[in-house]
Amino acid sequence: MLPKFVLFVLPAVLAMSSDARADIYSGLSDDQKEQLNNGEQAEDLVDMPGSAWPSVTVYQIIKATPDQVAAVMFDYPLHTAMFEGITKSVPKSPGAAKTDIDYTMVLPTVLGISLPAENYTVTDILSTMGSDGYKIDWTLVKASSMQDCSGSVKFERNGSNTLVAYTNFINPPKKYGSLAKLIKG
């Protein structure tokens, strides 16, 4: 059974003006396509000037429709089970195509040093990508210490499946300096 999101929000999103047609797959390298066709994830890492951490894009083919995959991603309380380290995920306007989400992220212990949890808020905006997909963009509103958090997730029809492209960039706090490089992975 699909989350209530599909029943109430999806028709409104379909009526919104849409972005240009998605075409994630054709932009991938042959190696990335081979990984995806073998049931594996593919990724891109882009170094970001002035940041210890890169922007990361992970690609994966999911055996579901774009509607179903977008509905799961739009189920914000589920993020605590979907994303390692996320212990809080609460939307301020559940079911809205644009909403602020309050998150808490617990960082790993590095060299015996426990870093404080990061509390932050991002604005998510859901849009359509032609008739073949959806996109959720997020931007940082406020954070207890990180400098930036932005990204998107795209859901594109790929035959009877969905190609997901999840891109995220977190610019860690400057006060963590070289320690941030150790938790890059």
Side-chain angles (χ1 to χ4, degrees), residues 7-185:
L7 300 173
F8 298 105
V9 175
L10 202 52
V13 171
L14 291 174
M16 296 183 324
S17 62
S18 62
D19 294 339
R21 183 190 174 313
D23 195 10
I24 301 163
Y25 192 80
S26 67
L28 298 175
S29 71
D30 289 342
D31 287 344
Q32 290 171 320
K33 289 177 184 177
E34 183 177 343
Q35 287 175 303
L36 293 172
N37 293 335
N38 289 332
E40 301 169 14
Q41 290 183 339
E43 66 179 36
D44 279 326
L45 299 175
V46 177
D47 287 329
M48 302 297 284
S51 177
W53 294 347
S55 172
V56 178
T57 301
V58 178
Y59 304 95
Q60 185 168 345
I61 294 178
I62 306 291
K63 293 181 180 182
T65 67
D67 294 355
Q68 292 168 323
V69 180
V72 170
M73 186 66 184
F74 213 68
D75 185 351
Y76 292 106
L78 186 59
H79 288 196
T80 59
M82 290 171 47
F83 299 106
E84 186 177 339
I86 298 296
T87 60
K88 175 185 168 188
S89 177
V90 179
K92 293 186 179 179
S93 302
K98 180 179 180 182
T99 186
D100 287 352
I101 301 98
D102 292 327
Y103 285 102
T104 298
M105 177 174 50
V106 176
L107 299 171
T109 299
V110 180
L111 301 174
I113 300 169
S114 295
L115 302 174
E118 180 71 28
N119 295 297
Y120 63 102
T121 301
V122 295
T123 297
D124 276 20
I125 301 173
L126 173 68
S127 60
T128 59
M129 295 190 323
S131 61
D132 290 334
Y134 300 94
K135 179 179 179 183
I136 300 172
D137 291 295
W138 55 88
T139 55
L140 184 66
V141 174
K142 64 180 179 177
S144 53
S145 62
M146 77 172 116
Q147 300 175 70
D148 188 18
C149 177
S150 58
S152 68
V153 61
K154 299 175 184 177
F155 313 99
E156 173 182 279
R157 185 169 302 283
N158 184 276
S160 60
N161 300 316
T162 299
L163 173 58
V164 177
Y166 180 91
T167 301
N168 198 36
F169 170 64
I170 296 174
N171 196 359
K174 287 183 181 179
K175 67 182 177 183
Y176 295 137
S178 59
L179 188 60
K181 292 178 184 177
L182 294 175
I183 58 175
K184 181 177 177 179

